Amino acid sequence: MKKTIYSDQDFKRLIEDNCYYVDKTKVIEELILNKKNGTALFPRPRRFGKSLFMSMLDYFFNVEKNSKHLFKGLYIEKSKVFKEYLNKYPVIHLDFKDLNSNNYDSFYTKFKSLMSDIYRNKKYIYDNLDNIDKEFFDVIANKNGSKEDYEESLVKLSEWLYSYYNKEVIILIDEYDAPINASYVNKYYEKLMELFRPIFSRTFKGNSSLKLGIMTGVLRIGGESFFSAFNNPKIYDVMNSEYNDYFGFTKSETREMLEYFDLKYTSEVSEYYDGYNFNGVHVYNPWSIANYAESGELKPYWVNTGSNLLLKDLLSNIDNEYKVQIERLILGGNLRFNYSPKLSYGELNASSFEAILNLMLVSGYLTLDNIDKETNETYYRVPNIEVRNDLAKIISDITFNGRLMEIEEARSFVKCLQEGDKIGAEEHLNMVLECVSHRDNKEAFYHGYTLCLFDLVMKDLNNKIYSNRESGYGIPDVIIKNKKKSLGIVVEFKVSKKVKDMEDVSKKGLKQIKDKHYKEELEKDKIKTIYEYVVVFHGKKAIVR
């Protein structure tokens, strides 16, 4: 059986190590047929296959590589463009993801090292090309170039490669915005852009040696004359209609992968990892699906897979009226706002809530929900339980004070559970559920939803919360322990298809708790006061027994 190491972003190693690969090579054909030359940007959330995509392009086009065996049996092998383009073009491949720094000097040192590596890897043209400027080549290779030298470094290298091969050059820049985001958070944005603007302009505007430029990142930066400096590249973001099924796994790809690893495609898998709507194309988070396929454990994998410092910084300073709306999103609601395709760093501040929501959209924290047919207004939501939990953690980390609306009811709900007050818990939970969509009617949704409540209102209390942890003869949905071992709570979630059946469902749930002795773990810790609850949901209604 193949391995599933999706974290390996090197296409060659993934293929040669016999890893499971979801064939996305058709995108190569489309890039060639749809865009003969010019520059394209593909903004996508983190861990959506951008780096693997760029590695695949490098191995396909790069004249320095011998890659025919890597594409055996894949879609592109049978394409009419295969022989004409495979390993026929010089490629410059840069990865900016490691250029994150908390000050400009540190960034600049890393950038010079990156350019030195790029130049040293092309030393064969230094040794064999007569018209090369060896003095210039040496200062870049030895990390001694001036700012003006680095502004010219990519365009000069592409000119030399074109002269050497008599072929136009393909330039790939992965995670182009990673250092830009870090510079904005760490207050050296303008200084960095003084370097980046001329580099990108001279590389991509009027460069007669350029065949194709491809960039990936999370953000599409607009409003700073950044992209306009190099002929405004074609941008294929999450709200564009093209290329969306090449980033993320479709339902059929997900089902096929799980079946290969002897896992069932269930509604719980969908609730955890599905939900992304890229302008009508519905995709699963590929990082999470691959990790789930490898481990067989249904849990969040997207958490802490990348930097969210910019979003965290912005959310920590928003007004209470906006905090309410963020909390509503976490608790399952949706929001209406206007999508801005040219998001500017100048717009990103705590008072511009719509700009923050646009950042959340392109970063993967929000996705398209629906468009109101009567008003033509567009609504957005959190994609799935996994992302909802990550957003709840961000809020927990920055301490959202001034809880309003649902959060106060959530606190009261938890307090009642701690006091054994089933009637009060039910009353307050139903108030919280007012923001839930009627479409969210799966047990996995309610499970994740209630975990978010616990995380938001119990983070400052002396409790530990466990989800789907083995105890007794089964796996209760939630176990809560007071660290002082004075109180323990067992919660089992159920969903009833009909309101009239909710009581019967609750009785079966209580019997399940007793028969499987879910409180065993709490008893082993010698916790004296233990409460056992069944919470039955139906749409916006819940009962607590």
Side-chain angles (χ1 to χ4, degrees), residues 95-309:
D95 188 346
F96 280 8
K97 72 174 181 295
D98 293 327
L99 297 184
N100 296 325
S101 298
N102 56 16
N103 61 76
Y104 181 80
D105 289 341
S106 174
F107 153 76
Y108 196 45
T109 298
K110 291 180 181 180
F111 178 74
K112 288 192 292 184
S113 294
L114 175 65
M115 294 309 303
S116 172
D117 291 342
I118 295 295
Y119 265 59
R120 288 175 182 273
N121 287 336
K122 308 294 184 185
K123 192 174 183 300
Y124 63 88
I125 62 172
Y126 178 96
D127 297 329
N128 297 287
L129 192 64
D130 293 333
N131 63 345
I132 195 169
D133 184 342
K134 292 190 175 184
E135 183 178 352
F136 185 94
F137 193 104
D138 285 337
V139 297
I140 301 298
N142 295 323
K143 309 177 191 177
N144 295 323
S146 65
K147 175 178 176 291
E148 290 73 22
D149 291 332
Y150 286 106
E151 290 172 1
E152 300 287 342
S153 57
L154 286 176
V155 68
K156 280 186 175 294
L157 184 58
S158 61
E159 289 171 355
W160 296 331
L161 286 168
Y162 177 70
S163 179
Y164 183 83
Y165 287 105
N166 197 28
K167 284 274 192 176
E168 294 171 310
V169 178
I170 293 172
I171 298 179
L172 308 174
I173 302 182
D174 194 16
E175 303 289 356
Y176 86 100
D177 60 336
I180 302 175
N181 293 341
S183 74
Y184 185 79
V185 172
N186 293 291
K187 316 301 182 188
Y188 61 92
Y189 171 77
E190 281 303 330
K191 193 169 183 179
L192 177 137
M193 293 301 283
E194 286 176 6
L195 175 68
F196 267 20
R197 284 191 187 99
I199 288 177
F200 279 82
S201 175
R202 291 167 192 175
T203 301
F204 295 108
K205 184 176 183 178
N207 183 356
S208 59
S209 304
L210 182 68
K211 171 68 175 178
L212 182 65
I214 302 288
M215 295 187 294
T216 68
V218 174
L219 291 181
R220 166 185 178 172
I221 301 170
E224 286 96 348
S225 301
F226 183 62
F227 285 136
S228 61
F230 51 100
N231 291 340
N232 291 310
K234 182 64 177 175
I235 300 177
Y236 302 98
D237 60 19
V238 296
M239 297 301 290
N240 194 281
S241 59
E242 298 179 76
Y243 297 102
N244 278 330
D245 52 347
Y246 296 118
F247 298 90
F249 294 162
T250 64
K251 184 176 181 178
S252 60
E253 289 169 343
T254 299
R255 187 187 295 273
E256 183 178 341
M257 184 175 188
L258 295 183
E259 288 177 354
Y260 179 85
F261 288 99
D262 298 323
L263 292 169
K264 292 183 178 179
Y265 175 89
T266 64
S267 60
E268 285 76 15
V269 171
S270 179
E271 293 288 340
Y272 259 89
Y273 309 125
D274 188 13
Y276 286 96
N277 180 353
F278 293 164
N279 197 27
V281 177
H282 295 266
V283 296
Y284 287 69
N285 185 321
W287 169 262
S288 300
I289 289 296
N291 277 278
Y292 171 61
E294 186 173 19
S295 70
E297 187 176 356
L298 195 68
K299 67 176 185 180
Y301 295 100
W302 198 63
V303 179
N304 296 328
T305 58
S307 173
N308 52 30
L309 289 177

Side-chain angles (χ1 to χ4, degrees), residues 85-97:
Y85 285 85
L86 179 69
N87 301 143
K88 297 292 174 59
Y89 289 87
V91 173
I92 303 173
H93 185 186
L94 303 99
D95 188 346
F96 280 8
K97 72 174 181 295

